[in-house]
Amino acid sequence: MAAHRARRRSLGGLALLVAAAVTGALALTGTGPGTDRADAATAATDTATPTAVTWSDEFDGAAGTAPDPGKWTLETGGTGNGNNELQYYTNSTDNAALDGNGNLVITARKNTDTGLQCWYGPCEYTSARLNTASTFTQAYGHFEARIKIPRGQGIWPAFWMLGDDLGSVGWPNSGEIDIMENVGKEPNTVHGTLHGPGYSGSGAPYSLPDGRAFADDFHVFAVDWSPEKITWSVDGQTYQTRTPADLGGNKWVFDHPFFLILNLAVGGNWPGSPDASTQFPQTMTIDYVRVSAADSAAAKG
């Protein structure tokens, strides 16, 4: 049981978005798989056999264009997200844009807009956070992304999911599945964790061999999720499985649809603040995000 932070997120604005999405009875936004990248490692683990791609984004498009609004919502604000994070999330292509080579690039920058206010005063940094709360949710299946993460003290990239009942039951009762998180002070380690009622940070780390840094190359981060368990993998290598038995009698809330989130935070209680060694801008480059159904999976928008 890892407990690297007491509370993962403060999600007031996002909770309102999710509540509106649920009320609107959204339809499935599934797409077929895009062109396979030959160098993408897409191996399924032992929890479920993926059967069909239910949703994907290959990030094909002209350089400088915004992420597809039919798939992603860009969150905005500088509240600190319950973690004393330092960035202001914008909806600008300065912080989230396609690169013209089949990638989405999320960029954390030093802020130059004196009008942006964060919880601590004038914002020092800007970045981006995208979610699919209004466009796609799914219970069970295979969820993966191929990502080249940034580096540096105080840098905190993540690929994760929240329950679609966030707006009605709140966090952590809605559940949270962190597929990949990295804090810059641990360049060769990522974390996969669960959060729910009575537990915050049930999970394990995964480190690359020989001290290699994740920021040096792309890696595939994935979970396979079934009603009985969730299994995490990096580049097809399984490194942990969690089941209801791991929760010490607390409720397993991973039994309903979740939505996807990509974000690049700066600072916060867990990673700490950037220091003189941290270089800006920092970029989180996402080659693709793909979701496959399993026999028991149910997807909806």
Side-chain angles (χ1 to χ4, degrees), residues 1-4 178 191-195 199-205 232 239-242 246-247:
M1 296 279 287
H4 49 253
D178 297 325
H191 297 261
T193 49
L194 298 179
H195 302 263
Y199 49 98
S200 183
S202 174
W232 284 256
Y239 70 94
Q240 71 161 329
T241 296
R242 295 287 157 173
D246 295 313
L247 302 182

Side-chain angles (χ1 to χ4, degrees), residues 10 25 50 60 83 107 147 212 247 254 259 270 297:
S10 174
D60 294 322
N83 304 302
T107 305
I147 302 172
R212 289 182 288 132
L247 302 182
F254 308 99
F259 59 89
W270 186 23

